Amino acid sequence: MTDRTAAANVHRHVRHGRFRAAARRGGTEHRAGTLYDPLPGRRRRLTRRTAGARPPAPAFPGLPVRDGPRTTTHTRALVSSAPEATPPAGLPARPLPARLSGVLSRTETHRKDSPVSTTAPSPATLTVTKLGGRLGALVSGVRLGGDLAPETVAAIRAALLAHKVVFFRGQDHLDEDRHEAFGRLLGTPVAHPTVPSADGRYSLPIDSDQGGRANQWHTDVTFVPAYPAFSILRASVIPPYGGNTLWANTATAYANLPAPLRRLADELRAVHSNDYDYAALRPGALPEQLVRYREVFASTKFLTEHPVVRVHPETGERVLLLGGFVQRIAGLTASDSRTLVQLLQSHIERPENTFRWQWQVGDVAIWDNRATQHYGVDDSDDHDRKLRRVTIDGDVPVGVDGRPSVLLAPESVPEPSFGPASGASTREAAAV
Ligand SMILES: [Fe+2]
């Protein structure tokens, strides 16, 4: 699978909402070409309705590359900068609809010399620079806030889906309100199910002096069904050394599994919970971290069963859904569960499958929480490290067999008075 093909797949699925419905019902998209069928082992060849009517695939819409010319060179460069995802068997290349190629020209409206006005302070140029082989890109030329033009938001979202985690430098102007306002451009902000926010609304403190040391591989809030689609993390205080964050691509982790392991994983379901042995998992935890865990983080104990392989609702990729909140594999003994989780998780954490970010004050990172895990490295001793996180509502995952995730306990996810909580949505992923 080439980079060009992988990028084409991602954007084909982004644009074709019909795929999502097909994934949910376990069927195929009703369009021309050889199509990916989310049911294992099924592929179908359909007849083109308008043979030869489609233009060559632009493969990756809308994102100019640093210092490149405006037109097709951008597209070519972006193709070569797409992540090296190898989609699961059955995800073929197919030309994109002609209308997708227009995204590139729409993005051009962000340029200062463009005659097209926008509602936002217009960035000179929004550029995307690939940083890691499997994931990670730097987006520059944009000042984040709640007033960005739709074209800018679309370009950021496209980069996010393609590269899984994107970074922005110099966003010092953001405060809690502006951070949340920008988040609303990507979806609905949601509160953490148990941890109080920093501002009484959605911005969650990730502070070292409050036990905010996420030094285990995890996907945010997977102990509830509709865990967040995106997390937006903003750095306000950074230690003089250490405190980096690592991300891993769970789509490439799945795609690069040996075929027998992919087939095994496709059939598994795992129980996730926020009620785990914190002290055993973090032997170096400080007393205040243990208190915070018991009194706050696990104040309501959630149990949710997820598929181990989720069909991504926007890209159609299969991703491994595991991480630190996994308690056991459904139907297996504790011993077999540990062995199997460790085996699959080891493919996620391989260094080649990760990207590491060294924070500066004013940085913003946004990740696709449905296609990544992350790890906050706890190596800055007692120095302060303060970040703020806004999470965007997700939807209920579905496995490759179309079965959705299920909340086992409690009966529902409690919501704060001011708005929705993460995981409370009952919207199924494929129904978006
Ligand atoms: Fe996290």
Side-chain angles (χ1 to χ4, degrees):
M1 181 68 64
T2 65
D3 289 351
R4 181 189 182 90
T5 303
N9 286 333
V10 166
H11 289 278
R12 174 165 56 86
H13 292 302
V14 168
R15 289 292 302 154
H16 289 277
R18 274 170 288 198
F19 169 80
R20 302 169 188 148
R24 179 181 49 168
R25 63 176 180 267
T28 58
E29 181 186 6
H30 300 300
R31 290 185 70 91
T34 302
L35 302 175
Y36 167 54
D37 187 322
L39 285 181
R42 287 178 53 191
R43 293 189 213 180
R44 190 179 302 170
R45 182 102 191 157
L46 302 180
T47 304
R48 286 193 181 280
R49 293 184 304 187
T50 52
R54 296 177 188 280
F60 196 104
L63 303 174
V65 171
R66 182 169 58 188
D67 298 328
R70 286 186 177 188
T71 56
T72 54
T73 303
H74 291 155
T75 304
R76 193 173 302 118
L78 282 160
V79 169
S80 66
S81 72
E84 294 177 356
T86 306
L91 271 175
R94 192 180 59 179
L96 291 173
R99 60 185 172 178
L100 262 187
S101 62
V103 175
L104 184 63
S105 59
R106 288 201 300 274
T107 302
E108 297 284 337
T109 62
H110 296 293
R111 293 173 183 276
K112 278 180 177 172
D113 57 358
S114 168
V116 179
S117 64
T118 69
T119 57
S122 180
T125 309
L126 187 150
T127 62
V128 178
T129 305
K130 180 176 178 174
L131 298 176
R134 295 282 178 85
L135 76 169
L138 179 68
V139 179
S140 54
V142 61
R143 178 181 163 90
L144 298 178
D147 57 352
L148 296 179
E151 293 83 1
T152 303
V153 177
I156 292 171
R157 192 181 188 100
L160 180 52
L161 292 174
H163 295 283
K164 314 304 186 196
V165 56
V166 293
F167 304 95
F168 303 78
R169 294 282 197 195
Q171 306 296 323
D172 308 73
H173 60 281
L174 291 178
D175 56 14
E176 317 293 14
D177 286 343
R178 290 172 180 148
H179 189 169
E180 180 184 322
F182 167 68
R184 287 186 183 282
L185 299 178
L186 294 176
T188 304
V190 285
H192 192 280
T194 57
V195 181
S197 64
D199 62 344
R201 291 179 60 82
Y202 298 106
S203 180
L204 187 77
I206 312 287
D207 294 349
S208 55
D209 60 359
Q210 295 183 41
R213 299 172 192 265
N215 56 333
Q216 61 173 330
W217 282 104
H218 67 285
T219 294
D220 286 336
V221 204
T222 61
F223 47 85
V224 293
Y227 61 88
F230 303 118
S231 290
I232 308 167
L233 193 58
R234 173 170 59 90
S236 56
V237 176
I238 292 304
Y241 54 84
N244 297 175
T245 301
L246 284 72
W247 282 265
N249 185 334
T250 55
T252 49
Y254 173 83
N256 290 303
L257 285 176
L261 283 184
R262 285 206 304 268
R263 288 194 293 272
L264 172 62
D266 284 346
E267 296 185 4
L268 298 174
R269 294 176 69 88
V271 176
H272 296 230
S273 179
N274 60 334
D275 183 19
Y276 57 86
D277 189 342
Y278 188 98
L281 200 65
R282 300 183 181 187
L286 301 171
E288 57 267 31
Q289 290 177 295
L290 293 172
V291 168
R292 180 172 172 79
Y293 167 75
R294 292 195 185 102
E295 293 185 353
V296 179
F297 190 78
S299 56
T300 300
K301 301 186 190 313
F302 294 95
L303 279 176
T304 294
E305 183 184 287
H306 288 297
V308 166
V309 178
R310 171 183 190 176
V311 179
H312 192 290
E314 294 192 74
T315 67
E317 294 169 302
R318 295 182 186 189
V319 302
L320 288 172
L321 173 41
L322 290 169
F325 298 118
V326 170
Q327 215 172 50
R328 58 187 166 81
I329 301 291
L332 300 187
T333 65
S335 173
D336 286 346
S337 290
R338 274 195 302 275
T339 302
L340 203 44
V341 169
Q342 191 173 36
L343 171 65
L344 295 172
Q345 183 69 26
S346 71
H347 287 265
I348 295 170
E349 299 173 12
R350 288 187 64 202
E352 292 79 4
N353 197 52
T354 68
F355 179 75
R356 184 178 187 126
W357 181 252
Q358 185 171 15
W359 291 97
Q360 296 176 7
V361 172
D363 286 356
V364 169
I366 312 175
W367 61 93
D368 185 342
N369 197 50
R370 302 158 299 183
T372 55
Q373 287 186 18
H374 55 282
Y375 184 112
V377 182
D378 183 12
D379 63 346
S380 46
D381 299 321
D382 293 330
H383 292 288
D384 275 353
R385 180 177 183 269
K386 297 182 187 297
L387 302 104
R388 293 287 181 270
R389 189 182 86 193
V390 171
T391 49
I392 303 303
D393 201 15
D395 29 34
V396 179
V398 291
V400 297
D401 59 359
R403 287 175 63 198
S405 302
V406 178
L407 178 65
L408 303 177
E411 287 190 1
S412 63
V413 179
E415 298 191 347
S417 58
F418 57 85
S422 178
S425 172
T426 57
R427 185 167 43 103
E428 287 188 17
V432 175

